[in-house]
Amino acid sequence: MNKKIFLSSDHGGFELKTSVINFLKEGNYDVEDLGCFSLESVDYPDYANLMAKNIKNNINSFGILFCGTGIGVSIAANRHSHIRAALCTSVEMASKSRKHNDANVLALGGRILNNLIIKDIVFQFLNTDFEEGRHRLRVNKL
Ligand code: RB5
């Protein structure tokens, strides 16, 4: 059974969030859009904090955060101790962020990434398991 996926963005990530939601819905993923809901300028920490709150209440869920670069939302999200947000610009990073870091949030840059690679990054993240063992010891130290 697929985990619930929360998605949230500022205006810089709004368009990419919309296209990711569309393809996840087509694949029957359980998604919830936490906003923002237009291109009107908003503050990315508000949306990263909202994401963190939702993940705290659904501890086995995943999150996907978007801003212009993915940097702001990842900094903000990682201030919450239950969040391990990984800013990924490649499929390899998405894979390693799950295998090695047990990332529960994927951060993406709407003004950085080419649409062709997005699907691959998102599906790699959602479908890669954490590798227990030595990585668990390290993640526990975070
Ligand atoms: C908003 O213009 C932009 O600063 C924001 O989307 C993000 O890139 C911040 O890290």
Side-chain angles (χ1 to χ4, degrees), residues 10-13 41-42 44 66-73 75 111:
D10 74 352
H11 54 290
S41 183
V42 291
Y44 61 81
F66 308 80
C67 66
T69 57
I71 296 172
V73 284
I75 292 172
R111 296 173 181 155

Side-chain angles (χ1 to χ4, degrees), residues 14-99:
F14 171 73
E15 288 172 308
L16 183 58
K17 172 168 66 74
T18 304
S19 77
V20 171
I21 286 174
N22 287 340
F23 71 65
L24 288 178
K25 279 184 176 167
E26 277 168 24
N28 286 320
Y29 283 83
D30 179 10
V31 298
E32 184 171 336
D33 186 355
L34 302 175
C36 65
F37 297 107
S38 77
L39 288 170
E40 189 182 329
S41 183
V42 291
D43 299 331
Y44 61 81
D46 296 340
Y47 290 89
N49 293 340
L50 182 61
M51 164 74 69
K53 191 173 162 192
N54 276 271
I55 291 191
K56 194 158 206 169
N57 295 333
N58 296 268
I59 211 63
N60 280 318
S61 56
F62 276 142
I64 309 181
L65 276 172
F66 308 80
C67 66
T69 57
I71 296 172
V73 284
S74 61
I75 292 172
N78 278 319
R79 293 185 173 229
H80 298 265
S81 59
H82 63 291
I83 299 292
R84 291 173 303 283
L87 172 57
C88 297
T89 55
S90 71
V91 175
E92 173 76 5
M93 290 173 78
S95 170
K96 287 294 188 333
S97 76
R98 290 288 310 128
K99 285 182 180 170

Side-chain angles (χ1 to χ4, degrees), residues 79-140:
R79 293 185 173 229
H80 298 265
S81 59
H82 63 291
I83 299 292
R84 291 173 303 283
L87 172 57
C88 297
T89 55
S90 71
V91 175
E92 173 76 5
M93 290 173 78
S95 170
K96 287 294 188 333
S97 76
R98 290 288 310 128
K99 285 182 180 170
H100 291 194
N101 313 111
D102 198 18
N104 54 359
V105 172
L106 171 65
L108 298 171
R111 296 173 181 155
I112 301 293
L113 292 167
N114 147 354
N115 258 335
L116 291 175
I117 201 178
I118 290 294
K119 247 187 181 175
D120 291 341
I121 289 177
V122 169
F123 285 128
Q124 188 71 51
F125 183 87
L126 297 177
N127 295 302
T128 303
D129 290 330
F130 179 55
E131 287 177 351
E132 293 291 345
R134 69 187 194 283
H135 298 301
R136 173 61 67 200
L137 298 174
R138 294 163 185 167
V139 167
N140 286 347

